[in-house]
Amino acid sequence: MSSSHETPEKCRILSSMGSVIVFFAAYAGLSVERISQETGIDPARLMDPDNYLPEEFFEKFFQVLNKDFPERNIALELAALAPISYFGTPGRLLLRAPDARTMLDLFVDNCDLLADRLKIEAVDSGTETFFRTCQPLSDIDGGMSAEIGLGLGARIVRKCFDEGLLTRVQFRHRARGCISSYEDFFRVPVTFQAEFNALVLSTGELKKRVNRRGRPEIRTALEQRLKCLRQELGLEEINGIRDIRRTVMCNAIKGDYSVAGLARSMGMSVSSLQRRMPSGTTAGRLLDEARYVNAMGMLSDSSLSIDEVAFRLGFESDRGFRKAFQRWSGRSPAEARKEMCA
């Protein structure tokens, strides 16, 4: 990955994702000149698959696609046609993982190489393992980016591993078309308005995966190459809090959003936890991020009252939740729910 290219410091996404989307749009009849005019991005910037583009480009571009092709499920069409090179150099490295479990772990640990606000978790729940993704862009684009990402993820599973590993798929948003079209694409049951976006994998099948493409030491080599990539991009500091973020989400599943609970789960004191946080970040901020992400998922479930959402998120009163949600998003929980269910 060349370090000579200018890279936005915040809210960036790998430009190979942008180039694939642009080529698809051109195929569908949308001119490159129109794309450039609508997004303010020079098409030449899209030609380097290892450069980065501002997240705002994708937000504007998805708006154009939705406007020009309202009757088509553009997200599924794009996910079906896009080459795996959509993930650029990080993706090519990750796809060389020796088995499914290793690939899963490496995607979790290095998802910020693809987009710096993308978060991925692998959550084991008995017989199922949730490959859970969160990208704030999907709250803006009506779920298009989530469908594209999980659609490509499902293709990777089918390409690299046997049938039976992927058991179902779930999305937070409402279906953007006929549900049967989703099930035809994913080849497994698909549900909507779930608590979070995820590919759901069979834990038993995941554990049975064997190395069919290389020796176990490939993982060590991959980790070293990915580390070099991270150093070039200046992401090592982010990696330093990845274990903390993972623990935050594990605690969140249990309804624990406290700093004390986080420190306890990390096996350290609260003061030690705070010292471990990099400059500009606090444990409280990470906990708030988790609460906000989970709040959005719960608010999309109309069967839950706002009082119930507040309780599940660990607030002592709905008033405290409403105040916090206003601080996080600039709107009330009721307003957010109305927008999602419109």
Side-chain angles (χ1 to χ4, degrees):
M1 183 172 292
S2 172
S3 60
S4 62
H5 299 290
E6 181 179 356
T7 301
E9 292 183 358
K10 295 181 179 179
C11 301
R12 61 186 186 177
I13 297 177
L14 204 62
S15 64
S16 60
M17 302 183 184
S19 62
V20 168
I21 292 171
V22 170
F23 287 135
F24 173 79
Y27 166 80
L30 191 62
S31 71
V32 175
E33 291 75 16
R34 167 101 184 280
I35 295 167
S36 179
Q37 182 181 13
E38 295 282 355
T39 64
I41 298 293
D42 183 347
R45 288 186 61 187
L46 302 171
M47 297 305 103
D48 182 353
D50 291 330
N51 195 5
Y52 284 84
L53 291 170
E55 191 175 289
E56 182 183 20
F57 164 80
F58 294 88
E59 178 183 344
K60 292 179 178 179
F61 192 62
F62 286 145
Q63 289 174 354
V64 174
L65 289 177
N66 280 324
K67 178 181 178 181
D68 282 34
F69 307 105
E71 303 302 320
R72 293 169 60 177
N73 193 326
I74 292 293
L76 287 189
E77 289 186 39
L78 197 153
L81 295 175
I84 302 302
S85 59
Y86 180 91
F87 292 113
T89 296
R92 289 193 291 274
L93 291 176
L94 293 164
L95 288 172
R96 294 186 63 191
D99 54 66
R101 182 78 250 183
T102 296
M103 182 187 289
L104 203 62
D105 292 343
L106 289 176
F107 260 103
V108 168
D109 291 339
N110 294 280
C111 58
D112 52 354
L113 287 172
L114 304 175
D116 61 5
R117 293 211 297 170
L118 173 65
K119 295 181 177 63
I120 298 177
E121 297 178 275
V123 181
D124 291 338
S125 177
T127 60
E128 295 181 323
T129 295
F130 293 87
F131 185 71
R132 174 176 175 172
T133 68
C134 175
Q135 164 58 269
L137 180 62
S138 65
D139 292 330
I140 300 171
D141 63 25
M144 281 190 70
S145 54
E147 290 182 11
I148 294 168
L150 292 189
L152 280 164
R155 283 181 55 201
I156 289 172
V157 169
R158 291 198 296 266
K159 174 183 174 67
C160 299
F161 307 105
D162 295 335
E163 295 290 336
L165 180 57
L166 179 65
T167 61
R168 58 189 178 90
V169 179
Q170 61 181 53
F171 291 105
R172 286 175 50 193
H173 57 277
R174 290 187 172 189
R176 305 176 71 254
C178 178
I179 291 181
S180 63
S181 66
Y182 288 92
E183 296 186 335
D184 288 343
F185 175 86
F186 286 100
R187 305 181 194 174
V188 292
V190 182
T191 57
F192 294 86
Q193 293 183 283
E195 186 177 345
F196 50 83
N197 301 315
L199 297 178
V200 185
L201 310 174
S202 165
T203 303
E205 290 294 312
L206 187 66
K207 290 178 178 178
K208 288 187 340 189
R209 298 301 101 185
V210 296
N211 176 13
R212 298 178 298 174
R213 289 169 288 135
R215 299 178 300 278
E217 55 266 29
I218 288 177
R219 172 165 186 154
T220 301
L222 282 176
E223 287 177 337
Q224 184 59 40
R225 293 180 67 185
L226 288 167
K227 182 178 181 180
C228 291
L229 209 53
R230 299 187 66 80
Q231 289 173 341
E232 187 175 339
L233 292 170
L235 294 173
E236 282 303 292
E237 183 178 58
I238 296 175
N239 190 52
I241 63 170
R242 190 163 301 283
D243 288 343
I244 300 176
R245 287 188 183 277
R246 190 175 301 162
T247 305
V248 165
M249 295 309 294
C250 288
N251 280 11
I253 292 172
K254 299 181 290 185
D256 185 353
Y257 294 90
S258 68
V259 174
L262 175 60
R264 185 165 52 250
S265 295
M266 294 291 297
M268 61 181 69
S269 66
V270 170
S271 58
S272 296
L273 172 64
Q274 298 291 16
R275 284 195 299 270
R276 183 171 172 179
M277 303 299 298
S279 176
T281 302
T282 65
R285 181 178 298 178
L286 296 184
L287 291 163
D288 272 353
E289 286 180 3
R291 264 180 162 161
Y292 178 44
V293 168
N294 289 337
M296 292 296 290
M298 293 180 194
L299 288 172
S300 69
D301 182 352
S302 59
S303 69
L304 294 176
S305 69
I306 290 178
D307 285 354
E308 288 176 299
V309 173
F311 175 76
R312 292 190 182 196
L313 292 171
F315 287 92
E316 294 183 359
S317 68
D318 65 320
R319 181 181 178 184
F321 169 53
R322 294 170 199 271
K323 184 176 180 180
F325 194 88
Q326 184 74 36
R327 186 179 74 251
W328 298 333
S329 67
R331 54 189 171 169
S332 71
E335 289 169 337
R337 169 169 277 176
K338 184 177 180 180
E339 289 175 11
M340 286 187 285
C341 297

